[in-house]
């Protein structure tokens, strides 16, 4: 197959550029493609999986509203807040929130005949910055184990943090509703679990909710380190934090920002030298995941479009995806287009006629549902696809204007491979060529001018994450 993305040539004044125009400018306007034996693919993309498309229709804004309002009802979910039996029974504090989240996962599992393994990851933290006394922190998650013994070792993950805060990160008594930050992200993880647990996938999906984010990413750091120590193969971690679509006049409900690191946080000195030498600053595993999400959004024509932001996180800020990045895992952050800081990390009050506080009435529940659909489609697509090709390498044994690529075979359901490439200055893949079942191919394209990658494809058109080659003599 040869696929070419044609970029628009017209430009617009900077003052008139909108997020949707930015999306159009990364190769989504005109696409021509040929797939398989000369068959034309409608819309220029591989066909959507009907099972995944049907599942996305099951995502419910009302279900998400109920989850967010329930989380807000616990008063405060500050990590330092009450976890004692009396407070849990009274429905107040982070302990009560944790028990409710666990019960929701268990309810979904009951509905699917016990398909989910509901687990907790509990540990002690502190004293530390923002944690004056030792405390217990608990992550709650549900595991949908893959159906294929080999593919089940591969894990894709969605997460949101269920703790909240107000202005003072040590205030255990004041209400901290945290409807947007981050009941919205927790609701995405819960809704993905509810919807996708009705299906079966070759690979494993984890639906995670973490605590301790507002105190210093404590929950996600512990979970990511545990995964690394136990040798988990996490291919993708999707972090949803502040995806409520705050109802401000400047908000754009048509896009969600997807942040991804460029240079790998876990890279050692040798790897950093190679990244600089090859011009690979925009080809981390997280950046490839972000591009994959953008393609999923086009394939399933989601109402909210992924807007790729080529930066680890918002300016000088970090979130739970960084904990996974530090352990070498591909991880990205979803966040609404425009945050409203009057409704974030603020005590609930009115001052000079301005209403402060992170309340449910400022959340657009349909927007959250649309963000959940992008997450669910990405999780399902990756969990359905073959694993990425291992040991992809580019032959540099001689000076040549051709490019020879080679890789090891995927041991799971791959029925073929594709080579993709783009100009070094382009944000997304522009071309793809079917390599068939071979694990070696030669292209009449100079390695000097483009970035290459290889991905695996199965007989239903599911594609793996692309893997950029390493040079080999």
């Amino acid at each position: 197959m040869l696929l070419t993305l044609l970029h628009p040539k017209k430009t617009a004044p900077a003052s008139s550029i909108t997020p949707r125009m930015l999306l159009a400018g990364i190769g989504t306007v005109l696409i021509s493609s040929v797939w398989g034996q000369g068959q034309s693919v409608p819309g220029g993309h591989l066909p959507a999986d009907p099972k995944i498309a049907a599942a996305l229709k099951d995502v419910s804004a009302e279900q998400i509203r109920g989850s967010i309002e329930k989380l807000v009802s616990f008063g405060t979910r500050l990590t330092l807040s009450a976890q004692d039996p009396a407070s849990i029974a009274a429905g107040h504090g982070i302990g009560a929130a944790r028990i409710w989240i666990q019960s929701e996962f268990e309810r979904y599992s009951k509905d699917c005949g016990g398909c989910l393994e509901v687990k907790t990851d509990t540990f002690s933290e502190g004293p530390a910055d923002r944690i004056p006394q030792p405390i217990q922190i608990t992550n709650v998650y549900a595991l949908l184990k893959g159906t294929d013994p080999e593919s089940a070792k591969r894990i894709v993950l969605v997460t949101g943090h269920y703790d909240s805060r107000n202005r003072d990160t040590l205030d255990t008594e004041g209400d901290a509703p945290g409807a947007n930050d981050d009941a919205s992200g927790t609701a995405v993880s819960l809704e993905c679990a509810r919807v996708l647990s009705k299906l079966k996938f070759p690979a494993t999906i984890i639906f995670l909710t973490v605590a301790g984010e507002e105190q210093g990413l404590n929950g996600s750091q512990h979970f990511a380190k545990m995964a690394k120590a136990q040798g988990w193969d996490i291919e993708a971690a999707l972090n949803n934090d502040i995806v409520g679509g705050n109802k401000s006049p400047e908000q754009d409900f048509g896009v969600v920002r997807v942040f991804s690191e460029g240079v790998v946080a876990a890279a050692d000195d040798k790897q950093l030298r190679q990244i600089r030498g090859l011009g690979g600053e925009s080809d981390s595993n997280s950046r490839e995941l972000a591009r994959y999400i953008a393609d999923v959004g086009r394939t399933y024509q989601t109402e909210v479009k992924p807007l790729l932001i080529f930066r680890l996180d918002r300016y000088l800020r970090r979130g739970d995806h960084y904990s996974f990045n530090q352990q070498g895992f591909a991880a990205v952050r979803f966040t609404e287009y425009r945050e409203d800081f009057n409704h974030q990390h603020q005590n609930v009050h009115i001052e000079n006629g301005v209403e402060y506080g992170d309340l449910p009435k400022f959340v657009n529940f349909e927007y959250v549902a649309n963000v959940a659909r992008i997450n669910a489609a990405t999780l399902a697509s990756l969990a359905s696809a073959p694993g990425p090709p291992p040991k992809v390498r580019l032959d540099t044994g001689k000076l040549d204007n051709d490019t020879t690529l080679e890789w090891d075979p995927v041991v799971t359901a791959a029925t073929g491979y594709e080579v993709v490439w783009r100009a070094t200055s382009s944000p997304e893949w522009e071309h793809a060529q079917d390599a068939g079942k071979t694990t070696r191919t030669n292209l009449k394209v100079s390695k000097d001018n483009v970035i290459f990658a290889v991905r695996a494809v199965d007989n239903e058109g599911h594609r793996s994450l692309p893997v950029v080659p390493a040079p080999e003599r």
Side-chain angles (χ1 to χ4, degrees):
M1 180 196 80
L2 179 63
L3 179 151
T4 302
L5 305 188
L6 304 179
H7 291 254
K9 300 299 184 182
K10 295 182 180 180
T11 60
S15 60
S16 65
I17 293 175
T18 67
R20 298 182 198 190
M21 291 172 66
L22 290 174
L23 289 169
I26 53 177
T28 63
V29 173
L30 181 58
I31 306 174
S32 63
S33 68
V34 178
W35 171 254
Q37 299 178 349
Q39 294 180 336
S40 177
V41 180
H45 305 291
L46 293 179
D49 184 324
K51 299 186 297 295
I52 297 174
L56 300 186
K57 295 178 181 178
D58 193 28
V59 173
S60 166
E62 281 306 306
Q63 182 75 24
I64 285 170
R65 175 198 288 269
S67 295
I68 291 174
E69 290 179 344
K70 183 65 177 180
L71 287 164
V72 169
S73 75
F74 297 115
T76 178
R77 304 187 308 280
L78 185 74
T79 300
L80 310 180
S81 64
Q83 303 187 54
D84 60 281
S87 297
I88 291 173
H92 183 80
I94 195 166
R98 178 189 77 235
I99 296 299
W100 177 78
I101 291 169
Q102 185 173 346
S103 72
E104 284 294 280
F105 282 139
E106 289 169 346
R107 180 166 68 88
Y108 306 155
S109 185
K110 182 179 179 180
D111 290 343
C112 65
C115 70
L116 295 175
E117 297 177 34
V118 181
K119 299 186 176 186
T120 56
D121 165 36
T122 300
F123 61 99
S124 295
E125 188 80 19
D129 185 33
R130 298 185 180 182
I131 303 178
Q133 301 294 332
I135 59 165
Q136 177 178 285
I137 297 177
T138 300
N139 302 318
V140 186
Y141 63 105
L143 185 148
L144 181 63
K145 192 170 181 62
T147 57
D148 179 83
E150 190 62 34
S151 293
K153 299 173 186 177
R154 299 170 41 233
I155 297 169
V156 293
L157 175 154
V158 61
T159 187
H161 71 86
Y162 71 93
D163 61 309
S164 66
R165 59 166 287 186
N166 55 32
R167 186 175 299 173
D168 181 359
T169 58
L170 304 182
D171 180 2
T172 61
E173 300 300 325
D175 282 349
N180 196 351
D181 185 15
D182 185 35
S184 66
T186 303
V188 167
S189 196
L190 287 167
E191 187 66 355
C192 285
R194 187 186 71 83
V195 169
L196 296 183
S197 60
K198 300 174 183 179
L199 304 177
K200 296 185 183 301
F201 302 96
T204 295
I205 304 177
I206 290 178
F207 310 97
L208 174 63
T209 64
V210 299
E213 195 271 353
E214 302 290 9
Q215 309 308 117
L217 312 184
N218 307 97
S220 59
Q221 285 180 352
H222 187 270
F223 193 91
K225 288 177 180 178
M226 175 187 71
K228 183 72 170 181
Q230 295 184 11
W232 293 9
D233 181 13
I234 297 180
E235 276 186 17
L238 313 181
N239 176 36
N240 290 266
D241 196 348
I242 313 176
V243 292
N246 180 80
K247 297 175 182 177
S248 63
E250 301 86 2
Q251 189 64 269
D252 188 329
F253 297 111
V255 298
V256 60
R257 293 181 290 175
V258 180
F259 292 89
S260 61
E261 68 172 2
V263 177
V264 178
D268 59 26
D269 287 344
K270 180 180 179 181
Q271 291 168 323
L272 289 173
R273 287 195 297 272
Q274 180 167 294
I275 289 169
R276 285 193 292 267
L278 299 178
E281 294 88 350
S282 192
D283 281 282
S284 66
N285 53 0
S286 298
R287 192 61 52 80
E288 307 308 352
L289 173 58
R291 294 183 176 106
Y292 190 98
I293 292 166
D295 196 37
V296 166
R298 291 189 287 267
T299 296
Y300 290 94
Q301 299 180 352
T302 54
E303 290 190 29
V304 171
K305 308 300 182 186
L307 176 62
L308 304 191
I309 306 294
F310 285 179
R311 176 174 280 158
L312 169 64
D313 204 327
R314 301 141 307 155
Y315 205 77
L316 296 178
R317 300 161 76 187
R318 291 179 181 175
D320 286 318
H321 60 303
Y322 182 62
S323 299
F324 291 91
N325 290 152
Q326 288 179 301
Q327 302 306 315
F329 299 123
V332 299
R333 175 187 180 125
F334 290 82
T335 297
E336 64 190 17
Y337 177 67
R338 185 180 177 89
E339 297 172 71
D340 187 333
F341 301 108
N342 291 340
H343 303 152
Q344 191 180 123
H345 299 180
Q346 296 285 348
N347 296 59
V348 178
H349 70 289
I350 297 176
E351 183 178 329
N352 297 324
V354 177
E355 190 167 14
Y356 294 86
D358 191 353
L359 297 166
K361 68 180 179 179
F362 300 122
V363 172
N364 182 326
F365 302 109
E366 188 58 51
Y367 177 85
V368 184
N370 283 325
V371 173
R373 290 183 181 101
I374 298 173
N375 278 261
T378 302
L379 294 168
S381 296
L382 287 170
S384 299
K391 298 182 180 178
V392 180
R393 48 216 186 262
L394 190 153
D395 185 357
T396 59
K398 62 177 181 179
L399 290 175
D400 195 344
N401 283 312
D402 290 358
T403 298
T404 300
L405 296 163
E406 191 170 2
W407 55 92
D408 289 359
V410 174
V411 297
T412 52
T415 56
Y417 303 92
E418 288 178 346
V419 178
V420 295
W421 68 95
R422 69 180 199 277
T424 59
S425 56
S426 295
E428 292 199 61
W429 301 113
E430 298 171 298
H431 313 277
Q433 182 165 306
D434 183 7
K437 296 182 179 181
T438 183
T439 57
R440 181 182 174 89
T441 190
N442 179 269
L443 296 96
K444 301 295 182 180
V445 182
S446 173
K447 67 186 75 64
D448 294 339
N449 304 330
V450 302
I451 303 290
F452 285 103
V454 180
R455 61 192 180 196
V457 185
D458 71 9
N459 58 9
E460 295 182 35
H462 301 119
R463 288 168 290 175
S464 74
L465 288 169
V467 179
V468 174
E472 181 180 72
R473 291 188 182 276

